[in-house]
Amino acid sequence: MSYDIAVIPGDGIGNEVVDAVEPLLVDAAAAHGVDVATTWFDWGSQRYLDEGSMMPEDGLDRLESFDAILLGAVGHPDVPDHVTLRGLRLPITKGFNQHVCKRPSHLFEGVRSPLRGYEGGDIDFVVYRQNTEGEYADVGGREHRGFGNEVAVQASVFTREATEAVVRPAFEAASERDGKLTNVTKSNAQAHGMVFWDDIVAEVSEEYPDVEVERLLVDAASMDFVRRPDEFDVVVASNLFGDILTDLGGGIMGSLGLAPSTNIDPSREFPSMFEPVHGSAFDIMGQGIANPLGTVLSGSLMFEHLGEDAVAEALWGAVADQLADPDAPRTADIGGDAKTVAVTDDLCDHLTE
Ligand code: NAI
Ligand code: MG
C-alpha cells in the first residue's frame, strides 16, 4: 500500500520532534512494504507573523486529499495562544469532523511514574475526548470592552451527532479491552449540556450490555487519576475535561513528552490528524532536547488508523523496547541527558533489530 501524508511541524518543539521522527516513520513503513510519501506545510506562527494567518484560506482544501496529517504543535511566545490554536488546529479538527480524540496513557516498563508503586503496564487506559465542540465551540462574544459593564459569554455546545460520534467508539474500545468505561461528567453543575451528555452515554450503553459503566464527576475523576490510575480502562469525556485529564495522563505515565494523540474522523470521509499531546514548549524549544517518543507513538496510532497494523506494532514495540533498555539514550524529561535526535537514531536500531 502507499499513503500520502501531510506533515505540519508547526512551532517550537513541534518542529524539532517532527523533523526527527518523520524519517523514522517513513523507514518503519518501508520495512513492511508500505510506501509513505510526505508533503510538508510550513504553516504556523511564523507564517502568522509574516503573512497574518496561521494557514492559507484554502488550507483545508489542500489537506483534504491526504490519507492522514501529522502535526507537531502550535504556539509561539509572540502570538496569543487563542490565535494559534484557533488559526490552525481547531479549524482542522472541526472542519474535518475529527470528533474523536483518542489518547492512550500507558506506563512503559523502564519509565518512572511520579506516582509511587506502579510498574510498567500497571497504568494502561485510553481517554476518548470529544474533539469538535463542547466547551471549545466558538460560540460567544465580548461586549462593552473596557467599560465597567464589560461582559464575556462563552457558550458550550453539545450535539447528539458529535456526542454519539465519540461515545460509541469509546464503548466499542471498552468492549474490545477490559469491558469498563468511565463517563467523566459534571452534570451536577451543568444541568443542560452535561445531563444531555450523560443521557447519550446511557442510551449508547444499551447497545453494549457487556460494558460496565462508571460515572465520575470530573473533579473526583482528577483525584482518582492520581489515587487509582490502574483501575481505568476506557474513559470518555467532553472536550475540555478530556484535554485536562490527558495532560494528567501524560504526567502519570512519566512525561507529557511520551503521550500520543489522535484526531479521528470516524466516518473516514476526511483525513484524520495525529500529533503528540504536548504543545510547543517555550521553556525548552530550540535546545534539541524535546522527547520525540510521543510523536513516534502518534505515528504508530496513525498507521493503526490506516490499517497498517504491522507498522503500528513495530513502532510501538520499538518505543517500548527502547524505554525498557536502561542503557538506551533518553531525554531529560524521563531522567536522561540525550538529545532528541540521539533518541530517534537509537530507535532506528531498535526498529531494525
Ligand atoms: P506544553 O505541552 O508545550 O509544555 C508543558 C510542559 O511539558 C513544559 O514544561 C514542557 O517543557 C514539557 N514538555 C512538553 N512536551 C515535552 C517533550 N516532548 N519533551 C520534554 N518536555 C516536554 O504546554 P504549555 O507550556 O502550556 O504550552 C506552550 C504552547 O503550546 C502554548 O502556546 C500552548 O497554547 C501550545 N499548545 C499547543 C498544543 C497543540 O498544538 N496541540 C497543545 C498544548 C499546548
Ligand atoms: Mg492539551
Side-chain angles (χ1 to χ4, degrees), residues 112-115 246-256:
R112 217 172 64 187
S113 171
L115 302 178
T246 51
D247 263 39
L248 186 48
I252 62 182
M253 68 189 275
S255 171
L256 190 54

Side-chain angles (χ1 to χ4, degrees), residues 13 17 71-76 81 84-85 89 247 255-257 275-284 289-292 333:
I13 67 164
V17 294
L71 174 69
V74 291
H76 189 287
D81 288 340
T84 50
L85 203 65
R89 189 177 167 275
D247 263 39
S255 171
L256 190 54
E275 57 169 336
V277 172
H278 66 74
S280 52
F282 304 155
D283 53 341
I284 58 166
I289 59 167
N291 192 332
D333 56 308

Side-chain angles (χ1 to χ4, degrees), residues 62-84:
R62 296 209 212 169
L63 293 175
E64 195 175 335
S65 62
F66 286 90
D67 296 303
I69 304 161
L70 179 69
L71 174 69
V74 291
H76 189 287
D78 301 334
V79 185
D81 288 340
H82 68 272
V83 171
T84 50

Side-chain angles (χ1 to χ4, degrees), residues 5 23 35 51 72 81 87 107 126 140 151 166 172 178 182 277 299 302 304 310 332 335 348:
I5 309 292
D35 187 29
E51 298 177 45
D81 288 340
L107 178 60
V126 51
V151 55
V166 67
E172 204 62 46
D178 296 340
T182 303
V277 172
M302 177 176 80
E304 182 189 77
C348 281

Side-chain angles (χ1 to χ4, degrees), residues 241-263:
F241 297 167
D243 189 1
I244 296 170
L245 286 173
T246 51
D247 263 39
L248 186 48
I252 62 182
M253 68 189 275
S255 171
L256 190 54
L258 291 171
S261 181
T262 69
N263 307 278

